[in-house]
């Protein structure tokens, strides 16, 4: 089955896979830094914050993350949710 590439979700997956556990604000800040470094369109900060929150909830629903309060913990399934075409190379 082909997964449509979602660059923001893929960045979230890589960030959380590397960190293991982060609070929402740390996830948001790291995602903004990576997206700016890669010259990806951010839109407004509040819109991006909402998009990231929604994508994190989707990853929780898919079984890739566990949420406790404002902390998200990567589960073993997380990396398998990444688009196949997305490289694992970090800046």
């Amino acid at each position: 089955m082909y997964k449509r590439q979602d660059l923001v979700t893929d960045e979230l997956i890589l960030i959380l896979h590397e960190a293991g556990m982060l609070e929402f604000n740390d996830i948001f800040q790291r995602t903004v830094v990576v997206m700016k470094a890669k010259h990806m369109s951010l839109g407004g900060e509040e819109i991006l914050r909402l998009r990231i929150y929604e994508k994190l909830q989707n990853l929780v629903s898919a079984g890739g993350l566990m949420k406790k309060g404002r902390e998200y913990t990567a589960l073993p399934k997380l990396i398998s949710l990444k688009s196949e075409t997305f490289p694992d190379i970090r800046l």
Side-chain angles (χ1 to χ4, degrees), residues 6-7 11 19 26 47 55 64:
D6 178 345
L7 298 175
E11 287 297 347
D26 294 328
I47 296 297
K55 291 174 186 303

Side-chain angles (χ1 to χ4, degrees), residues 11 29-42 89-91:
E11 287 297 347
Q29 292 302 321
R30 289 182 187 205
T31 305
V32 168
V33 168
V34 170
M35 291 178 71
K36 282 182 180 179
K38 292 185 175 184
H39 306 289
M40 296 168 65
S41 176
L42 298 176
I89 299 169
R90 306 301 288 163
L91 291 177

Side-chain angles (χ1 to χ4, degrees), residues 1-89:
M1 183 175 130
Y2 174 74
K3 290 188 217 176
R4 195 179 86 163
Q5 188 173 16
D6 178 345
L7 298 175
V8 176
T9 299
D10 285 343
E11 287 297 347
L12 292 171
I13 289 170
L14 291 176
I15 288 166
L16 281 153
H17 179 72
E18 290 173 357
M21 181 181 72
L22 289 171
E23 288 190 2
F24 178 80
N25 287 332
D26 294 328
I27 296 167
F28 177 74
Q29 292 302 321
R30 289 182 187 205
T31 305
V32 168
V33 168
V34 170
M35 291 178 71
K36 282 182 180 179
K38 292 185 175 184
H39 306 289
M40 296 168 65
S41 176
L42 298 176
E45 185 174 314
E46 286 304 311
I47 296 297
L48 181 60
R49 189 175 289 276
L50 290 170
R51 285 178 59 206
I52 289 172
Y53 181 79
E54 177 186 25
K55 291 174 186 303
L56 288 170
Q57 298 316 303
N58 291 339
L59 291 171
V60 169
S61 296
L65 294 175
M66 181 178 66
K67 181 180 184 214
K68 185 174 182 181
R70 292 183 58 86
E71 292 181 341
Y72 292 85
T73 303
L75 299 175
K77 182 180 179 182
L78 180 64
I79 200 69
S80 71
L81 300 173
K82 183 176 67 68
S83 301
E84 292 178 21
T85 58
F86 195 76
D88 290 331
I89 299 169

